[in-house]
């Protein structure tokens, strides 16, 4: 006989009750079992997505120790310290920094113009270049000695920005975004000579013996006679359109001049004739980041103990043999500003806004300390980031000057934050230390001194 609808309902309800009872018994049985707790350190799942830690992160404090070079009371910081002859590895500086004076140097940062020239110090004078073409000489006690506009007769104000400074003897060399290299008298600001570079001259110059070396247009390296301004020779590289304002100064070491191009190429030539000696590349990228499409060498190259260290903002830092260009190691950390080798370590500000310590032996990561990143924390507005300049080693700590109105001090051993000093207006250049005084230029166009 066929079943009625009532019979079917009774069967369904019976099965339902049996199923619920089975589930309840299963839960009770599970609760009665002893919970197994796996041993080991607990880490959030998101940690794997926010950091790229390596085995070096597990080093003991003893293994991370560093023997800093002795502090030296340097009077000058006349040129970019990528060249060993111009570098004081560890300048003296007091532990507590207090602002002692500030001076207006011209135009500050704006939508179209940027200050990119670090101040240089020589002979009791501090020299600066504003966001356009004004050069200022200030005494180390804070008095303006002279100001000079290097705008050429063929150019108009506002047409160029960027540049660099270097002092050699009684001559101040100024490269500019107008495409010139100008030699000025350090005492009066008077023009000694001027040379057209046929492209923007935003790279920092290097003056060594009888020649001045400078990059123009990020694809041409120039050697110019220091006394006359005449062209001695040129070298070229592949042209690129994705460059960063303010190129690194050429390095001079062991008879060679080393240029860093916007294409990511480093080229070493014999200093006197410009004959090519070797080529090396700072190439590679961090996947998933827009910065990875810019190959420019932004981590200022520096020569140390027969090795040249350099980086790009795409996610790579390299070490190459200074005599042959042979690669030694590559690290998956980009370098935004200075690459600083110190006593077996390499310090840099990475493309992810971290202060990073690497091993100088193999490029492995020892630690990384996060710096302020996005100006606005809301995800929909995360576009503008804070700029960080440095690091420099002085007074036993690492110093980083930032656009968020802060100069930070860090422990070289652990990367821990040890101090903060206010920079009104925020920093737009790396800090420079000379005469136990720290100098930095603000985004407002002010030179500030701290002791």
């Amino acid at each position: 006989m066929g079943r009625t609808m009532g019979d079917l309902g009774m069967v369904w309800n019976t099965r339902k009750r049996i199923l619920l009872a089975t589930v309840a018994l299963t839960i009770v049985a599970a609760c009665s079992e002893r919970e197994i707790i796996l041993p080991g350190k607990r880490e959030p799942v998101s940690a794997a997505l926010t950091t790229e830690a390596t085995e070096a992160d597990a080093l003991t404090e003893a293994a991370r120790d560093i023997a800093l070079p002795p502090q030296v009371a340097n009077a000058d910081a006349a040129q970019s310290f990528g060249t060993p002859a111009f570098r004081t590895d560890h300048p003296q500086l007091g532990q507590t920094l207090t602002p002692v004076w500030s001076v207006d140097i011209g135009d500050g940062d704006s939508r179209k113009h940027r200050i990119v020239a670090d101040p240089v110090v020589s002979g009791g004078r501090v020299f600066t270049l504003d966001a356009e073409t004004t050069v200022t000489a200030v005494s180390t006690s804070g008095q303006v000695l002279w100001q000079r506009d290097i705008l050429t007769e063929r150019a108009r104000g506002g047409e160029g920005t960027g540049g660099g400074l270097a002092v050699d003897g009684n001559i101040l060399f100024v490269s500019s975004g107008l495409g010139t290299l100008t030699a000025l008298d350090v005492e009066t600001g008077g023009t000694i000579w001027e040379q057209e570079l046929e492209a923007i001259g935003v790279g920092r110059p290097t003056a060594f013996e009888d020649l001045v070396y400078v990059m123009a247009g990020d694809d041409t390296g120039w050697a110019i006679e220091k006394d006359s301004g005449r062209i001695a020779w040129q070298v070229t590289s592949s042209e690129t359109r994705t460059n960063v304002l303010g190129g690194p100064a050429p390095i001079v070491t062991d008879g060679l001049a080393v240029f860093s191009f916007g294409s990511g190429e480093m080229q070493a030539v014999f200093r006197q004739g410009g004959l090519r000696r070797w080529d090396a590349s700072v190439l590679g990228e961090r996947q998933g980041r827009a910065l990875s499409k810019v190959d420019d060498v932004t981590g200022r190259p520096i020569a140390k103990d027969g090795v040249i260290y350099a980086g790009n903002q795409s996610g790579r830092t390299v070490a190459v043999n200074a005599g042959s260009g042979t690669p030694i190691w590559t690290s998956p950390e980009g370098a935004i500003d200075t690459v600083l080798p110190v006593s077996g370590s390499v310090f840099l500000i990475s493309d992810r806004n971290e202060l990073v310590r690497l091993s100088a032996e193999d490029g492995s990561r020892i630690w990384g300390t996060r710096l302020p990143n996005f100006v606005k924390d809301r995800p929909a507005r995360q576009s503008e980031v804070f700029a960080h300049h440095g690091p420099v080693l002085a007074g036993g700590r690492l110093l980083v000057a930032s656009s968020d109105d802060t100069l930070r001090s860090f422990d070289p051993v652990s990367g821990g934050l040890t101090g903060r000093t206010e920079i009104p207006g925020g920093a737009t250049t790396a800090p420079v230390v000379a005469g136990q005084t720290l100098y930095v230029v603000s985004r407002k166009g002010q030179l500030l001194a701290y002791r």
Side-chain angles (χ1 to χ4, degrees), residues 112-271:
K112 293 184 178 180
H113 302 93
R114 294 287 187 274
I115 299 174
V116 299
D118 294 344
V120 293
V121 186
S122 179
R125 303 177 183 90
V126 187
F127 301 95
T128 62
L129 174 65
D130 74 348
E132 293 197 38
T133 53
T134 298
V135 181
T136 303
V138 182
S139 72
T140 52
S141 58
Q143 284 77 43
V144 175
L145 302 175
W146 53 259
Q147 279 192 321
R148 170 70 194 282
D149 192 343
I150 59 171
L151 184 70
T152 63
E153 295 180 355
R154 295 176 297 278
R156 294 179 300 176
E159 289 187 340
T161 188
L165 303 166
V167 177
D168 185 66
N170 64 344
I171 303 178
L172 170 66
F173 299 97
V174 186
S175 58
S176 79
L178 295 175
T180 60
L181 179 67
T182 306
L184 303 178
D185 184 280
V186 296
E187 294 186 1
T188 66
T191 300
I192 299 173
W193 52 256
E194 182 181 277
Q195 176 59 248
E196 296 282 348
L197 298 177
E198 301 175 359
I200 59 172
V202 295
R204 299 167 179 85
T206 297
F208 192 87
E209 295 183 351
D210 57 341
L211 294 175
V212 184
Y213 307 93
V214 68
M215 286 289 304
D218 264 357
D219 59 7
T220 306
W222 295 65
I224 297 173
E225 294 178 1
K226 186 174 68 176
D227 294 332
S228 65
R230 295 177 178 175
I231 301 170
W233 46 261
Q234 293 174 286
V235 294
T236 59
S237 177
S238 303
E239 185 178 356
T240 177
R241 298 185 182 277
T242 54
N243 299 327
V244 177
L245 185 65
I251 295 174
V252 178
T253 178
D254 296 332
L256 300 175
V258 182
F259 294 87
S260 300
F261 297 94
S263 61
E265 178 187 358
M266 289 193 298
Q267 189 177 127
V269 299
F270 290 101
R271 288 197 302 106

Side-chain angles (χ1 to χ4, degrees), residues 383-409:
S383 58
E384 182 183 1
V385 298
F386 289 112
H388 303 284
H389 308 278
V392 299
L393 174 68
R397 74 272 200 195
L398 298 168
L399 298 164
V400 176
S402 304
S403 64
D404 68 342
D405 302 353
T406 307
L407 173 71
R408 292 176 173 84
S409 301

Side-chain angles (χ1 to χ4, degrees), residues 237-423:
S237 177
S238 303
E239 185 178 356
T240 177
R241 298 185 182 277
T242 54
N243 299 327
V244 177
L245 185 65
I251 295 174
V252 178
T253 178
D254 296 332
L256 300 175
V258 182
F259 294 87
S260 300
F261 297 94
S263 61
E265 178 187 358
M266 289 193 298
Q267 189 177 127
V269 299
F270 290 101
R271 288 197 302 106
Q272 293 301 319
L275 181 66
R276 185 177 299 187
R277 173 69 177 85
W278 55 256
D279 292 289
S281 296
V282 188
L283 296 177
E285 62 183 42
R286 191 186 300 279
Q287 296 294 330
R289 291 177 62 87
L291 287 177
S292 67
K293 302 307 177 185
V294 181
D295 294 325
D296 209 344
V297 180
T298 52
R300 305 181 195 182
I302 185 169
K304 176 77 172 178
D305 299 331
V307 178
I308 294 178
Y309 304 89
N312 64 21
Q313 68 174 24
S314 304
R316 290 295 183 273
T317 295
V318 303
V320 302
N321 184 285
S324 64
T326 303
I328 299 174
W329 52 255
T330 298
S331 169
E333 297 286 354
I336 294 295
D337 201 284
T338 302
V339 179
L340 181 66
V342 177
S343 301
S345 293
V346 178
F347 300 95
L348 54 89
I349 297 171
S350 79
D351 56 312
R352 297 185 301 172
N353 267 0
E354 286 184 304
L355 176 62
V356 176
R357 179 182 172 189
L358 306 177
S359 165
E361 181 179 0
D362 58 12
S364 59
R365 177 183 170 114
I366 298 175
W367 52 250
T369 298
R370 291 185 181 180
L371 300 171
N373 196 8
F374 289 106
V375 174
K376 297 183 179 180
D377 291 333
R378 293 174 58 186
R381 296 181 178 272
Q382 288 184 346
S383 58
E384 182 183 1
V385 298
F386 289 112
H388 303 284
H389 308 278
V392 299
L393 174 68
R397 74 272 200 195
L398 298 168
L399 298 164
V400 176
S402 304
S403 64
D404 68 342
D405 302 353
T406 307
L407 173 71
R408 292 176 173 84
S409 301
F410 297 91
D411 178 10
V413 175
S414 66
L417 180 68
T418 60
R420 300 171 184 261
T421 304
E422 183 184 5
I423 302 177

Side-chain angles (χ1 to χ4, degrees), residues 67-92:
L68 298 177
Q71 296 189 41
V72 176
N74 62 314
D76 296 338
Q79 299 197 44
S80 175
F81 59 69
T83 296
F86 309 134
R87 183 169 64 249
T88 301
D89 287 327
H90 192 181
Q92 280 189 1

